[in-house]
Amino acid sequence: MKTAILAGLLSLLFATVPARAGNEALNGAEIRLLTGPIHGGSAQMGLEIALLPGWKTYWRSPGDAGIPPTIETGASQNIAGVEIAFPAPERFGEGHGQSVGYTAPVVLPLAVRLADPGLPARLVAKVMIGVCRDICLPVEAEVEARIDPKARPAPGEVAAIEEALRQVPVRIEATAPLAVASVAREAAPKTGNGPETLVVTVVSDRPEEQQDLFAEGPEGWALPLPVRLGREGGRTRWRVALEGLPPGASPKEAALRFTVVTPDRAVEQAWRLD
């Protein structure tokens, strides 16, 4: 069952639980905004999701089940836009499927553009995340923070944001030391018992390094998690089933995004199918 379907079912099965503004821990996670420095009219901030032991939350593409985090900032003041980044995720099992996200506290970096960089601003974030332990709950929280160009941010918050930024996958090209080298389309079986698939080859300058691969399609796609086929030297092959496409969607010339994660580095790469 694909992500979009399961996310909808989860929102129906479990009541959404509101969290008060601030940083109170509710249903497995404590949520707050961190404030960092301002450079060139953009404030570096972070959404801290302090998971309690045993709880998990989800990446932007949550896998077979889960709810991706969303942030709505319409009630903010002197804010022109907010861009969210995601540290490298991990794959974990849930029931009969696999999900993608975080099993430890995480900070999602936020690049907050100020409408007038010379004036204070107020970021009001209505956040929805999914958290899971024995059951899964969509949790809503409204948190806010004041952004003052003349104030000095707390060193601890700055350090947490900087560490999160170091964990965000680096955008690379196919010639990088760790990269997707090729993507081959394979036709669906003539028996009609399976979908068309992609065979993705990842090259690495560290042949013994463990890696995981995540694949995302255009908006509305819900691709399943890649399945590892094998490794030979510095080349690892993965299979991605072309399932979870919206009705009528074609993979021809579709823009994909691949994320490769290893124990100490992660990269993100755009790819357009033939």
Side-chain angles (χ1 to χ4, degrees):
M1 189 175 294
K2 296 294 171 279
T3 298
I5 298 174
L6 281 171
L9 288 174
L10 282 170
S11 63
L12 292 173
L13 288 171
F14 301 112
T16 300
V17 182
R20 294 186 291 275
N23 60 345
E24 184 172 356
L26 290 175
N27 300 299
E30 181 178 282
I31 301 173
R32 66 169 178 152
L33 289 171
L34 308 180
T35 303
I38 300 174
H39 299 294
S42 179
Q44 187 61 63
M45 302 186 69
L47 178 70
E48 182 182 64
I49 305 173
L51 294 167
L52 298 181
W55 289 81
K56 299 166 285 190
T57 192
Y58 299 97
W59 192 47
R60 63 176 180 241
S61 182
D64 293 332
I67 301 173
T70 59
I71 300 178
E72 195 279 318
T73 59
S76 302
Q77 298 172 356
N78 195 28
I79 301 295
V82 178
E83 183 177 346
I84 183 171
F86 290 86
E90 62 181 292
R91 186 188 302 221
F92 49 80
E94 280 196 322
H96 298 291
Q98 291 184 317
S99 294
V100 184
Y102 309 99
T103 59
V106 64
V107 173
L108 306 182
L110 305 175
V112 182
R113 299 192 311 277
L114 304 181
D116 187 335
L119 296 177
R122 178 170 164 261
L123 178 62
V124 179
K126 294 182 179 179
V127 181
M128 174 176 278
I129 63 171
V131 293
C132 277
R133 190 174 185 180
D134 299 323
I135 62 171
C136 294
L137 294 169
V139 174
E140 285 185 342
E142 182 172 307
V143 290
E144 60 181 79
R146 177 178 168 83
I147 305 169
D148 187 347
K150 298 180 180 179
R152 182 177 181 181
E157 296 190 10
V158 174
I161 295 169
E162 290 177 346
E163 176 60 25
L165 286 168
R166 284 191 287 270
Q167 297 173 14
V168 173
V170 177
R171 295 180 180 177
I172 53 93
E173 302 294 335
T175 54
L178 176 67
V180 172
S182 65
V183 179
R185 290 175 60 182
E186 291 190 344
K190 293 182 179 180
T191 59
N193 293 328
E196 181 179 354
T197 60
L198 305 177
V199 175
V200 181
T201 301
V202 177
V203 295
S204 172
D205 60 340
R206 304 176 190 174
E208 301 305 317
E209 183 178 57
Q210 296 299 312
Q211 66 178 234
D212 206 346
L213 177 70
F214 305 103
E216 300 169 88
E219 185 175 358
W221 286 33
L223 293 175
L225 285 169
V227 176
R228 179 174 158 170
L229 298 176
R231 179 170 61 184
E232 184 176 348
R235 304 176 72 84
T236 305
R237 296 170 67 246
W238 300 82
R239 174 168 285 130
V240 181
L242 284 176
E243 298 178 319
L245 280 62
S250 169
K252 184 176 176 60
E253 298 185 351
L256 303 186
R257 175 165 52 175
F258 294 105
T259 301
V260 186
V261 177
T262 78
D264 61 359
R265 56 180 176 167
V267 297
E268 178 183 298
Q269 186 175 345
W271 195 282
R272 188 169 293 277
L273 293 179
D274 294 333

